[in-house]
């Protein structure tokens, strides 16, 4: 079993594919290649963009300036910046950041407007509730007389009560008709 596992590794060493950088630059890719860990053969588009913006020698210098533990993040950042520069040659990442900051600012102003509207509606609701509460306390029995028939008088009673299910006031009208 072990001998079959060693055969593919030996073939891989003999037929080592060059990294995307060496492939694009048409140079020999060996084990000491600085770019091979960060630009695998299938990511040639990433290296093409980075090479177009920064150049191969500058990329190697930037990678060597960073500690080995942070190089992967640095390369991701370089690729992101290069992609942004290809899309927007003038502003690059700064343009994207500016656009996002503008969106956040606009959304904050919309949030402030909606919050002010909600507060205004709550104040109106509180005023209506206090008005209804005053009607309930002061005019618990509001009597209205209907003189349609001279012999009888209809008395309509309006009673206001708070209904917790509807978060507001409801009115109940009772018709009490009686003869004098």
């Amino acid at each position: 079993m072990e001998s079959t596992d060693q055969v593919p590794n030996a073939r891989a060493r003999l037929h080592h594919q060059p990294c995307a950088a060496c492939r694009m630059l048409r140079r020999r890719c060996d084990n000491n290649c600085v770019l091979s860990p960060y630009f695998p053969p299938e990511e040639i588009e990433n290296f093409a963009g980075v090479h177009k913006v920064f150049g191969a020698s500058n990329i190697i210098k930037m990678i060597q300036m960073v500690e080995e533990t942070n190089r992967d993040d640095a390369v991701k950042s370089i690729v992101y910046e290069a992609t942004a520069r290809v899309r927007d040659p003038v502003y690059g990442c700064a343009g994207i950041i500016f656009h996002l900051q503008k969106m956040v600012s606009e959304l904050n102003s919309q949030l402030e407007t909606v919050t002010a509207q909600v507060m205004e509606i709550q104040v109106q609701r509180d005023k209506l509730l206090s008005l209804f509460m005053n009607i309930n306390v002061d005019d618990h029995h509001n009597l209205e007389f209907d003189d349609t028939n001279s012999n009888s008088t209809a008395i309509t009673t309006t009673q206001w009560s708070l209904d917790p299910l509807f978060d507001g006031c409801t009115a109940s009208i009772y018709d009490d008709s009686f003869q004098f």
Side-chain angles (χ1 to χ4, degrees), residues 91-102:
Y91 294 107
C93 284
I96 295 170
I97 292 168
F98 176 74
H99 177 70
L100 291 174
Q101 286 175 339
K102 185 178 176 184

Side-chain angles (χ1 to χ4, degrees), residues 68-168:
E68 285 190 40
T69 57
N70 297 331
R71 285 184 181 177
D72 192 45
D73 292 333
V75 170
K76 288 178 185 176
S77 180
I78 291 169
V79 169
Y80 186 80
E81 176 63 32
T83 305
R85 284 280 171 193
V86 167
R87 286 188 199 147
D88 186 0
V90 176
Y91 294 107
C93 284
I96 295 170
I97 292 168
F98 176 74
H99 177 70
L100 291 174
Q101 286 175 339
K102 185 178 176 184
M103 285 177 54
V104 167
S105 175
E106 290 172 358
L107 290 173
N108 278 334
S109 67
Q110 287 178 3
L111 179 63
E112 289 174 5
T113 302
V114 170
T115 303
Q117 290 174 347
V118 167
M119 295 297 288
E120 185 178 325
I121 290 171
Q122 287 177 344
V123 167
Q124 290 175 356
R125 184 198 65 182
D126 291 344
K127 285 181 182 179
L128 284 174
L129 283 175
S130 68
L131 178 66
F132 288 140
M133 294 294 282
N134 287 340
I135 290 173
N136 191 18
V137 173
D138 297 339
D139 300 328
H140 185 66
H141 295 285
N142 183 13
L143 300 177
E144 295 178 7
F145 294 95
D146 186 10
D147 290 333
T148 56
N149 187 352
S150 61
N151 292 338
S152 66
T153 304
I155 301 174
T156 304
T157 305
T158 304
Q159 185 177 22
W160 294 92
S161 63
L162 288 175
D163 190 350
L165 294 176
F166 294 107
D167 192 29

Side-chain angles (χ1 to χ4, degrees), residues 11-59:
R11 287 183 186 161
R13 286 185 202 136
L14 293 176
H15 299 288
H16 174 71
Q17 286 188 342
C19 67
C22 293
R23 178 188 248 175
M24 186 172 170
L25 298 173
R26 296 181 184 194
R27 64 181 189 188
R28 185 178 173 103
C29 187
D30 58 4
N31 292 337
N32 296 330
C33 180
V34 177
L35 300 173
S36 65
Y38 310 108
F39 296 103
E42 60 273 359
E43 294 183 11
I44 197 160
E45 303 87 25
N46 286 346
F47 182 76
V50 171
H51 178 63
K52 182 177 181 180
V53 174
F54 297 109
S57 62
N58 288 331
I59 298 167

